[in-house]
Every structure is written in structure tokens, then in C-alpha cells.
Amino acid sequence: MHILNRQQILAAFDAEAITALLKQGFIAYSQRRVQQPPVQHFLFEQAAGDCCIKSAWLEGDELFVVKVSAGFYRNAERGLASNQGLVMAFSAQTGEPRALLQDEGWLTALRTALAGRIAAELCAPPHIQAIGMVGTGLQARLQLQCLKPVTDCREVWVWGRNEQALAAYRRDAEAEGFRVLTTQDAAELAAHCQLIVTTTPSREPILQAADIRPGTHITAVGADAPGKQELATDLVAKADALLVDALVQCADYGEIATAYRQTRLTSTPIIEMGALLAQGGRLRSEPQHITIADLTGLAIQDLQIAKGVLAAI
Amino acid sequence: MHILNRQQILAAFDAEAITALLKQGFIAYSQRRVQQPPVQHFLFEQAAGDCCIKSAWLEGDELFVVKVSAGFYRNAERGLASNQGLVMAFSAQTGEPRALLQDEGWLTALRTALAGRIAAELCAPPHIQAIGMVGTGLQARLQLQCLKPVTDCREVWVWGRNEQALAAYRRDAEAEGFRVLTTQDAAELAAHCQLIVTTTPSREPILQAADIRPGTHITAVGADAPGKQELATDLVAKADALLVDALVQCADYGEIATAYRQTRLTSTPIIEMGALLAQGGRLRSEPQHITIADLTGLAIQDLQIAKGVLAAI
């Protein structure tokens, strides 16, 4: 069995090759060629932690994977990263363990950011004057990096609640070649940006319907469990078209879940990313449309990114 | 992170200490103090394989575990064991990986056999002239070994379909100090034995209601997925009392599932192992009763056996 640590994994990481694998994975998922059992969840209340276990096999593949990813939100007090996790790959011919990727949660963060890139390719308006980033954490940094091959825009507005975190984000984004504007007012960000990515674990909507101008695309990656919501229900209901990674997950606990349950999306086109990729089209039919991509995260992404890393070592 | 191989795990294995941990685990499960998400299943038809992922945390414990166990039934053709698998332990305080137990499926086999021992302690009649073992595989060997501390009986009848497998079992059981009688007629086995253990993945009942004499206890460990059944539905319906590891699993896909669905158990006492252990009693109230223990396997057993091994290294 190969055992790889974070450094070895990041050294073998090829964003272009893995983006292509992720697209194939989304397509296979939407074509029902992926065995992906329901996600297992743990809640560790006394430690402010949670954990989910995601598993997937693309039928016919040599490998299947089991991913354990945890978030322990007081780890910083101990000098540890909040995100923890690993990915295991097994032979689908014999059941033998083939690889242990001790990525410490990085593969989850990266495949989520690359899904944001794919969503932008499929949904963003043609002219982007500024990118809007809601949140100042690791995911907000990775999303920005992953958008660089998709757009020439090098101006970013970033929203956060904390001045220090905004200043730190500014330094990192400037090092990536961006002009950075910070704000604690999400409406101000929305007024300037045509491509917005929301990356927080918020349980209260941050962006309101009235904030968003025609011609805007929003990719929401924060809502990955019941109760999380970054976009107001009115905003979701107002969208002209919705992209989802998996309809079954998004309707259950994604960003669109509340609007879906309230039957406010019955006349909104909703398409799975894999279905749109297979068609070869784009989500947006009019420049003035408001579009939203709801990404809850799929085990097939974990399988594809693990395959990409293992192919490169 | 500790990484242990099969030899290290087996060297650290203390059956008495782990039996005590398993009992504590069954009690905690029945007291609803265990987080145990639904089992994930894969089916690899082209390779005649399957895999399940079981996870558990006993609330308050330092560790939680994720177990991957696979069965690939053509592995013997490649010179590999059919059972594959590993157990991972993580900190419930920080989410960090703590240990990887590369047990190749042994911990699952052992915790299943020790659950059989506990079932015998709780259910077997006081006088056992002969043990009956249905099946000739690894689990049939381990069950016999694990019964040695529970009974002085050293006579075993073993049932199998294959003469060679019966001869091989005979050699191994004789080496364990047993007088061994082999048969290809399950009714003959049942006529001689007061404590029977069924260990096969059969999808057709092997033991019939008419075969079983009053005063017999049967522990059935083979049925761990829908469609598997070793005992005739009439036999299950005829039992005077039933022990189950988890009512929710046994009623769904355990040995008692068919009789349960046919509402033929409405007047049969059914008790969870953990509830009976907490009470301190025994299942059998009359020497002439027929009793059955239905063991489908719980993730809490995987947690407890992993804890036991890790405590010993």
C-alpha cells in the first residue's frame, strides 16, 4: 500500500489534469454510473467537531475510495488545522487497500475549489470586472487561485466579518496578482462583482436578493449540511437558472434546499453539472440572467482527485 | 499515526479483555450512547465482490473508528484471502488520524466470533453434549475456539457441503482438542447438538424447524445482508426467545427478518444483547426452550476491538 503525506500529495497535484478528471466524474455521476452510498455523519458536540465519510466507485474503475473528512473548530486553539482527513483507495478487483492519502483535508479543499472553477466556466458572464469572494478562509483563497485560468479579471472584492482576516486575505490575494478591495458590507461587494463565490459555513444568509444585479453569477460552496445557508431564499428563488452538483443533495441540504422545499423553484431550470458538461453547453442563455451554482460536494470528486494524484506519482 | 499490520494486531489481541470491551459496547449501543451512522454498501458484480463501511463513536470516548471490510469471493483464484479490510481510528477531540489497523479482515472475524461467545454465555443450555458448527470456513474455526472458555464440551459436529473442507476442519478442530464428527446432513448435526452456530453466507435455509430439538440454542452469524438466511422461517417463528445484536438491523436484514416481516414474531420475546447484558440475566427461562441469537454485526464492535488492540500496544 502506498502511503502519501500532504507534501507528496501537493507535489503530485496537477490542477489541469484533475479538472478534466472531475468533469468526467460529474458526467459519470449524472449518468448514474457511480456507486455513491449515502454520506455518514458524526457530530462531536463537546469538541465543536463534525466528521463525514464519503465513498464512491465509478463502475468499471480499478479503484474505489473512502474519504474521512473532519472539521474541529477549536483546533486553532491547539495550533492544529480545523480541517482534518484522509482518503483511502482500494482495489475494486480484490478489495485490497492500495493507497492511503494523508492529505489533512487538502484534497477536499482542492476538489471543492476546482468544482468552483468548473462552475465558473459553465455559468459566468463573459465580462467580469471584479470577482467577489465571500469569506476569508482557506477555501476563499483556493477558489480565487482556481479562477485564474478561467478569467483574465484580476480584481477581487472580499467580504469578511473580521478586519484582521480581511487584511491577511488581502496580502495573500495580492501575492496572487490581484487588486484587492475589502468590505464588511456584502451589498457593496455584490454591487461591484459579476462572479461571486460564497465560501462560509454561515447559517444566516449573507447575500440578499436586492443586493444582486442582473448579469451576476454566484457559486455557493458553503452549504454542505442541513442548516447552513449563505444566500437568502428570495435570492435563490429569483435566479433565472440553477446549476447543482447533485440534485438529490442540493434539494436536501444545499443552498437551494429552503427554496426547493417551499416549492419556489418549480419554474426555475435546474440542471446537474454532469448533465450540462455532457451536453457541452453553458447555463446562461441571456447576459442579464442571474445564475447560481450550488455545490454540496460529491464523493465522486474525492475518487477522481485521488485517482489524479495516484496517477502522477 | 500508528500503523499496525496483521501480525502486530494479532500479537496484541487479548480475547478476555476484548470480550469485556465488546460487552460494554453492546450495552452502550442498547442505551443509545453510540453514534453509528447507517452502513455504506458497495457491490462489485464483475469481480464477485462487496464492501461495507461501518463507523462508530461511543459518546465521550477519545476515539472514533471507520472500518472498511470487503469480501471478494474469487480472490482464492489469485492466492489472496477473500476477506480484506482495515480499521482506522481518529481522535474525537481533534479529528486527527490516530491509528491504521491493517488487519486484512481479521478484526471483523474475531469480533464476530467473540460476539458468538457472548451469545453462548447468555443463551446456551447448562449441559452441552456436543457443539454443532454449520460451515467449515474461518468463522467456523474462530467460533469454536472462542467457545472453549464458555463450555467444557469438547465434542463438535460440523456440517459442510464439501468433503475436503470437512476434512480440513476436522484436522484444525482436533488440534484445538475437540473430538470431531462430520456430516453433510444438517438434521443429523441438529439431532446431537445443544449449542449450534451457523456461519455460512447461505441464501437457502440449512436448518429446518423439524430438525431442532427442545433445549437447543442456535447462534446465527451468517446473515449480514438482505437475502441471506441460514435458518428456516418456521424455525425462527418456533423459537421461545430471540436475542439480537441490534433490533433495527436484525429486523431489516438479519436471520429473523423474514419471520419479522411476516409478523410471526409478535408473541416471541426479542431482546437486544446490550439490554440483556445490562440486566445481568440470561435469555433462557426453561431448559426445554429453543433460543436463537441473531448477530448481524455492529460498528460498535469494531470500535471496541480496535480500542482493545490499541490499548495493548
Side-chain angles (χ1 to χ4, degrees), chain A residues 1 3 35-47 51 53-57 59-61 64-66 68 70-72 75 78 80-82 84-86 88 90-97 100 102, chain B residues 1 3 35-47 51 53-57 59-61 64-66 68 70-72 75 78 80-82 84-86 88 90-97 100 102:
Chain A
M1 181 165 74
I3 298 184
Q35 287 189 26
Q36 195 175 283
V39 179
Q40 296 183 336
H41 290 280
F42 283 101
L43 191 61
F44 305 97
E45 273 186 35
Q46 90 300 345
C51 177
I53 296 127
K54 290 184 173 171
S55 309
W57 179 52
E59 292 182 355
D61 260 15
F64 66 100
V65 300
V66 178
V68 180
F72 279 75
N75 274 4
R78 301 169 184 246
L80 294 171
S82 298
Q84 298 285 335
L86 52 75
M88 280 167 306
F90 298 84
S91 164
Q93 290 295 321
T94 66
E96 292 169 292
L100 170 65
Q102 293 192 269
Chain B
M1 182 165 73
I3 298 183
Q35 287 189 27
Q36 194 174 285
V39 178
Q40 296 183 337
H41 290 280
F42 284 102
L43 190 61
F44 305 98
E45 273 185 36
Q46 90 299 342
C51 177
I53 295 124
K54 291 183 173 172
S55 309
W57 180 52
E59 291 182 356
D61 260 15
F64 66 100
V65 301
V66 178
V68 180
F72 280 74
N75 274 2
R78 301 169 184 244
L80 294 171
S82 297
Q84 297 285 334
L86 52 74
M88 280 167 306
F90 298 84
S91 164
Q93 291 296 321
T94 66
E96 292 169 292
L100 171 64
Q102 294 193 267

Side-chain angles (χ1 to χ4, degrees), chain A residues 69-252:
Chain A
S69 66
F72 279 75
Y73 305 104
R74 288 195 216 120
N75 274 4
E77 299 167 14
R78 301 169 184 246
L80 294 171
S82 298
N83 291 326
Q84 298 285 335
L86 52 75
V87 180
M88 280 167 306
F90 298 84
S91 164
Q93 290 295 321
T94 66
E96 292 169 292
R98 290 289 188 229
L100 170 65
L101 306 175
Q102 293 192 269
D103 64 297
E104 302 173 25
W106 275 85
L107 289 176
T108 302
L110 287 164
R111 58 83 156 157
T112 303
L114 288 175
R117 164 182 164 165
I118 299 169
E121 288 179 14
L122 294 171
C123 308
H127 302 295
I128 302 170
Q129 289 182 295
I131 296 165
M133 196 60 63
V134 175
T136 54
L138 173 64
Q139 187 57 218
R141 285 164 169 78
L142 294 175
Q143 289 281 347
L144 193 66
Q145 287 172 27
C146 288
L147 287 174
K148 287 170 78 174
V150 180
T151 174
D152 294 332
C153 171
R154 292 296 179 266
E155 180 165 314
V156 61
W157 280 81
V158 57
W159 173 93
R161 292 195 169 93
N162 179 300
E163 288 279 9
Q164 275 189 309
L166 284 168
Y169 190 93
R170 174 197 294 278
R171 283 192 298 275
D172 289 349
E174 283 176 351
E176 289 283 334
F178 283 84
R179 179 173 170 245
V180 182
L181 301 117
T182 65
T183 180
Q184 293 180 303
D185 175 4
E188 184 182 21
L189 175 148
H192 291 92
C193 302
Q194 295 75 45
L195 171 57
I196 300 174
V197 186
T198 66
T199 67
T200 75
S202 183
R203 292 173 176 268
E204 296 291 326
I206 297 168
L207 288 172
Q208 307 300 324
D211 299 340
I212 304 301
R213 306 207 306 185
T216 302
H217 170 72
I218 306 167
T219 296
V221 306
D224 59 356
K228 294 185 183 174
Q229 188 170 353
E230 300 181 281
L231 310 182
T233 307
D234 281 351
L235 170 51
V236 175
K238 181 182 173 181
D240 295 290
L242 297 170
L243 187 76
V244 294
D245 52 7
L247 186 54
V248 62
Q249 284 186 190
C250 293
D252 186 20

Side-chain angles (χ1 to χ4, degrees), chain B residues 39-181:
Chain B
V39 178
Q40 296 183 337
H41 290 280
F42 284 102
L43 190 61
F44 305 98
E45 273 185 36
Q46 90 299 342
D50 55 40
C51 177
C52 74
I53 295 124
K54 291 183 173 172
S55 309
W57 180 52
L58 200 169
E59 291 182 356
D61 260 15
E62 279 184 31
L63 297 176
F64 66 100
V65 301
V66 178
K67 181 188 79 168
V68 180
S69 66
F72 280 74
Y73 304 104
R74 285 195 217 119
N75 274 2
E77 299 167 15
R78 301 169 184 244
L80 294 171
S82 297
N83 291 326
Q84 297 285 334
L86 52 74
V87 179
M88 280 167 306
F90 298 84
S91 164
Q93 291 296 321
T94 66
E96 292 169 292
R98 289 289 188 228
L100 171 64
L101 305 175
Q102 294 193 267
D103 65 297
E104 302 174 25
W106 275 84
L107 290 177
T108 301
L110 287 165
R111 59 81 155 158
T112 302
L114 289 175
R117 164 182 164 164
I118 298 169
E121 288 178 15
L122 293 171
C123 307
H127 301 294
I128 302 170
Q129 289 181 294
I131 296 166
M133 197 60 64
V134 174
T136 53
L138 172 65
Q139 187 57 219
R141 286 165 168 77
L142 294 175
Q143 289 281 347
L144 192 65
Q145 286 172 28
C146 288
L147 287 175
K148 287 170 78 175
V150 180
T151 173
D152 294 332
C153 172
R154 291 296 179 268
E155 179 165 315
V156 62
W157 280 82
V158 57
W159 172 94
R161 293 194 169 91
N162 179 301
E163 290 278 9
Q164 275 188 310
L166 284 169
Y169 190 93
R170 174 198 293 280
R171 283 193 298 276
D172 290 350
E174 284 176 350
E176 288 283 335
F178 283 85
R179 179 171 170 245
V180 182
L181 301 118

Side-chain angles (χ1 to χ4, degrees), chain B:
Chain B
M1 182 165 73
H2 282 294
I3 298 183
L4 301 179
N5 64 25
R6 187 184 61 181
Q7 284 176 312
Q8 294 168 309
I9 291 164
L10 294 178
F13 188 80
D14 175 342
E16 294 306 315
I18 286 169
T19 300
L21 280 166
L22 288 174
K23 288 179 182 176
Q24 292 169 19
F26 283 119
I27 291 171
Y29 174 82
S30 289
Q31 293 177 342
R32 308 287 176 261
R33 291 188 286 119
V34 178
Q35 287 189 27
Q36 194 174 285
V39 178
Q40 296 183 337
H41 290 280
F42 284 102
L43 190 61
F44 305 98
E45 273 185 36
Q46 90 299 342
D50 55 40
C51 177
C52 74
I53 295 124
K54 291 183 173 172
S55 309
W57 180 52
L58 200 169
E59 291 182 356
D61 260 15
E62 279 184 31
L63 297 176
F64 66 100
V65 301
V66 178
K67 181 188 79 168
V68 180
S69 66
F72 280 74
Y73 304 104
R74 285 195 217 119
N75 274 2
E77 299 167 15
R78 301 169 184 244
L80 294 171
S82 297
N83 291 326
Q84 297 285 334
L86 52 74
V87 179
M88 280 167 306
F90 298 84
S91 164
Q93 291 296 321
T94 66
E96 292 169 292
R98 289 289 188 228
L100 171 64
L101 305 175
Q102 294 193 267
D103 65 297
E104 302 174 25
W106 275 84
L107 290 177
T108 301
L110 287 165
R111 59 81 155 158
T112 302
L114 289 175
R117 164 182 164 164
I118 298 169
E121 288 178 15
L122 293 171
C123 307
H127 301 294
I128 302 170
Q129 289 181 294
I131 296 166
M133 197 60 64
V134 174
T136 53
L138 172 65
Q139 187 57 219
R141 286 165 168 77
L142 294 175
Q143 289 281 347
L144 192 65
Q145 286 172 28
C146 288
L147 287 175
K148 287 170 78 175
V150 180
T151 173
D152 294 332
C153 172
R154 291 296 179 268
E155 179 165 315
V156 62
W157 280 82
V158 57
W159 172 94
R161 293 194 169 91
N162 179 301
E163 290 278 9
Q164 275 188 310
L166 284 169
Y169 190 93
R170 174 198 293 280
R171 283 193 298 276
D172 290 350
E174 284 176 350
E176 288 283 335
F178 283 85
R179 179 171 170 245
V180 182
L181 301 118
T182 65
T183 180
Q184 292 179 303
D185 176 4
E188 184 182 20
L189 175 148
H192 291 91
C193 301
Q194 295 75 43
L195 171 57
I196 300 174
V197 186
T198 66
T199 66
T200 76
S202 183
R203 292 172 175 270
E204 297 290 326
I206 297 167
L207 288 173
Q208 307 299 325
D211 300 340
I212 304 302
R213 305 208 305 185
T216 302
H217 170 72
I218 306 167
T219 296
V221 305
D224 59 356
K228 295 186 182 172
Q229 188 172 352
E230 299 180 282
L231 310 183
T233 306
D234 282 350
L235 169 52
V236 174
K238 182 182 172 181
D240 294 290
L242 298 170
L243 187 76
V244 295
D245 52 7
L247 186 54
V248 62
Q249 285 187 191
C250 293
D252 187 20
Y253 57 75
E255 196 59 51
I256 69 165
T258 305
Y260 190 90
R261 259 195 305 279
Q262 294 176 0
T263 64
R264 295 177 65 182
L265 303 181
T266 49
S267 59
T268 311
I270 307 179
I271 186 164
E272 282 190 344
M273 192 178 253
L276 187 56
L277 286 165
Q279 286 172 17
R282 301 179 123 254
L283 185 68
R284 175 177 302 273
S285 57
E286 300 290 335
Q288 294 308 301
H289 275 178
I290 291 173
T291 55
I292 295 174
D294 182 5
L295 304 182
T296 50
L298 304 185
I300 183 66
Q301 296 172 254
D302 302 314
L303 173 61
Q304 297 298 88
I305 197 167
K307 278 161 58 180
V309 167
L310 292 172
I313 58 165

